[in-house]
Amino acid sequence: MAKTIIQVKDLHKSYNDFEAVKGISFDVYEGEIFGLLGPNGAGKSTTLEIIETLRKKTSGSILVDGLNLDNDPNEIKKIIGVQLQASGFYPGLNLIELINLFAGLYNEVVDPMELLEKVNLKDKAKAKYKELSGGQKQRFSIATTLINKPKIIFLDEPTTGLDPQARRNLWDLILDIRKQGTTLIITTHYMDEAEVLCDRVAIIDNGKIIAIDSPAKLIDDLVDTGFERPVQVKKANLEDVFINLTGYSIRED
Ligand code: ADP
């Protein structure tokens, strides 16, 4: 049995009178990609940001790698990597300068070129963040989550707005990070993406977890109820056509 690296028990979060998270519990296992899925407003970001120590919970308990969120938030910060929003990057600095800045904040020594190579951005080392394409910006923000060599990385909708090639490129990067032994928690609105990437997913609706399991098990359970897709599925879809015509290589120049 895999080791539990995050344990969330009976988590509640209210914003004034509104209860956004209504008593959710789940475990994340070490080395897995865990997906939080759910409609807008379900409570995904609230849950993630509480675990990331960025938001206060109303009640419940959270352990991250054995550390209690109530007692050791600063120790938790040291072992997690959180993607910054675009506004967190100074527009006038180039990628090397930004990495050095973040490394200084984390008190870490890193080789910026080595880090940029990991996310396939070495040739953009002297470019400014604002000059990057959407996919490159996402890859760079993932690179910044790696600076403190975290055990757990949180990615909130990492592929939203990317073209199919850049999306696949990012999937490879995420799978590669897991291969190094890092645990990842991601949110996404793309179910195909969750199916490809996630070892397990929790589906949240109205502040409650309504299902939690591997994508394959959840699909099998639905099929077992007699569910069938209403239309005959073709052997390919439009995305296959697009990729087949335009190729896998990323275009971001
Ligand atoms: P999701 O990430 O699943 O889209 P959120 O966690 O962002 O959901 O939001 C859950 C609910 O909590 C939503 O109804 C949202 O409007 C509300 N909410 C989120 N942040 C705040 C806040 N700072 N103040 C008041 N309500 C909030």
Side-chain angles (χ1 to χ4, degrees):
M1 179 86 182
K3 182 186 153 197
T4 296
I5 194 157
I6 295 177
Q7 186 185 68
V8 175
K9 275 204 174 144
D10 202 21
L11 179 67
H12 289 258
K13 171 69 181 178
S14 296
Y15 297 108
N16 302 317
D17 290 344
F18 174 69
E19 196 175 23
V21 175
K22 299 171 181 154
I24 67 174
S25 303
F26 61 93
D27 287 349
V28 176
Y29 303 138
E30 188 166 52
E32 75 174 341
I33 301 178
F34 186 85
L36 275 184
L37 312 179
N40 285 330
K44 303 179 298 293
S45 301
T46 299
T47 302
L48 279 194
E49 288 175 15
I50 290 170
I51 303 171
E52 292 164 355
T53 77
L54 301 176
R55 243 181 241 227
K56 291 235 170 307
K57 61 183 162 63
T58 303
S59 65
S61 74
I62 295 177
L63 292 177
V64 180
D65 199 29
L67 300 164
N68 190 320
L69 185 89
D70 294 332
N71 309 328
D72 292 313
N74 291 329
E75 292 305 306
I76 291 177
K77 278 189 191 122
K78 288 183 193 160
I79 59 160
I80 65 172
V82 177
Q83 240 184 326
L84 280 181
Q85 301 301 313
S87 55
F89 298 111
Y90 294 93
L93 299 183
N94 71 35
L95 303 192
I96 292 182
E97 290 164 339
L98 282 170
I99 290 173
N100 283 330
L101 176 71
F102 289 120
L105 295 176
Y106 282 123
N107 223 348
E108 290 272 348
V109 179
V110 295
D111 176 349
M113 289 311 275
E114 194 183 308
L115 197 59
L116 289 173
E117 181 160 26
K118 273 193 190 153
V119 297
N120 202 10
L121 280 177
K122 243 169 99 176
D123 55 340
K124 293 285 173 186
K126 295 280 172 62
K128 297 190 165 83
Y129 177 78
K130 65 180 177 197
E131 294 161 359
L132 302 179
S133 70
Q136 290 166 343
K137 281 182 177 150
Q138 281 296 343
R139 294 211 300 280
F140 181 70
S141 80
I142 291 179
T144 63
T145 70
L146 299 171
I147 288 174
N148 60 334
K149 302 172 190 78
K151 287 187 177 179
I152 307 161
I153 290 179
F154 295 84
L155 303 175
D156 203 353
E157 296 188 34
T159 66
T160 295
L162 300 187
D163 70 31
Q165 284 89 354
R167 208 156 75 97
R168 280 172 164 68
N169 183 263
L170 217 73
W171 292 354
D172 289 342
L173 175 61
I174 290 169
L175 292 169
D176 209 46
I177 292 171
R178 178 185 58 182
K179 218 189 280 171
Q180 316 291 322
T182 310
T183 306
L184 291 111
I185 302 188
I186 70 167
T187 66
T188 179
H189 286 305
Y190 303 116
M191 295 304 124
D192 61 332
E193 177 165 298
E195 224 178 307
V196 170
L197 293 181
C198 296
D199 298 291
R200 291 187 312 130
V201 297
I203 301 177
I204 305 187
D205 197 15
N206 281 320
K208 288 189 173 155
I209 291 184
I210 51 174
I212 181 165
D213 219 317
S214 67
K217 177 72 168 56
L218 291 171
I219 293 166
D220 288 346
D221 287 350
L222 178 63
V223 171
D224 283 348
T225 66
F227 179 92
E228 272 182 56
R229 284 194 185 190
V231 291
Q232 171 104 41
V233 180
K234 296 187 182 179
K235 286 185 179 165
N237 62 22
L238 189 58
E239 180 147 329
D240 296 322
V241 173
F242 182 93
I243 291 285
N244 197 260
L245 290 172
T246 60
Y248 278 89
S249 63
I250 33 176
R251 325 289 170 72
E252 293 176 321
D253 303 311

